[in-house]
Amino acid sequence: MSADELHVVVETTDDGVVVIRVRGSLDGWSGSSGLVEALEKAARSRGRLTVADLSRLEFADSTGLHALLNAQRRHTESGVRLVLAGPFGTGVRRLFEVSGTAGAFSFADTVDAALTC
């Protein structure tokens, strides 16, 4: 796997929390389908919480942001809380800030902090 590829790993805890770990780049070039599918499945599971671990996300563009916004909408419709967990790289954090979408998401500094939300 090259550094630019998107790699998605899904884990489910004993208490039904879905943790989606994302590594690489989330953009139009590397694609977002693996993340979109994982987030959609988590929303349909109707668990109590989905945590998207973005701490190893190196880059994200509008394609990635669009995928996350759609996932937030689907989770809200399904009654499942979605939390984006860091720590976030400068480029990823800046994407939320400059797009004005930071208020659309719940954030946590770490996965462990997200699990206690």
Side-chain angles (χ1 to χ4, degrees):
M1 179 177 93
S2 75
D4 290 339
E5 288 182 58
L6 182 67
H7 185 69
V8 178
V9 175
V10 180
E11 305 165 4
T12 303
T13 66
D14 291 338
D15 61 348
V17 175
V18 177
V19 179
I20 302 170
R21 299 186 189 277
V22 184
R23 179 178 50 176
S25 295
L26 180 56
D27 55 28
W29 179 255
S30 61
S32 61
S33 62
L35 178 59
V36 168
E37 290 170 16
L39 287 165
E40 178 65 25
K41 185 175 179 182
R44 285 192 318 260
S45 76
R46 299 195 186 266
R48 71 173 182 87
L49 175 66
T50 299
V51 177
D53 176 5
L54 306 182
S55 64
R56 295 181 67 195
L57 188 61
E58 298 167 11
F59 176 79
D61 68 3
S62 61
T63 301
L65 180 60
H66 182 71
L68 292 170
L69 286 167
N70 281 339
Q72 179 61 55
R73 179 183 52 78
R74 288 289 295 127
H75 275 74
T76 299
E77 290 169 356
S78 297
V80 180
R81 184 147 190 238
L82 173 63
V83 177
L84 307 183
F88 304 100
T90 303
V92 175
R93 184 176 50 249
R94 185 149 167 71
L95 177 65
F96 294 114
E97 292 169 356
V98 299
S99 66
T101 59
F105 299 99
S106 294
F107 294 98
D109 292 334
T110 65
V111 170
D112 287 342
L115 294 173
T116 62
C117 288

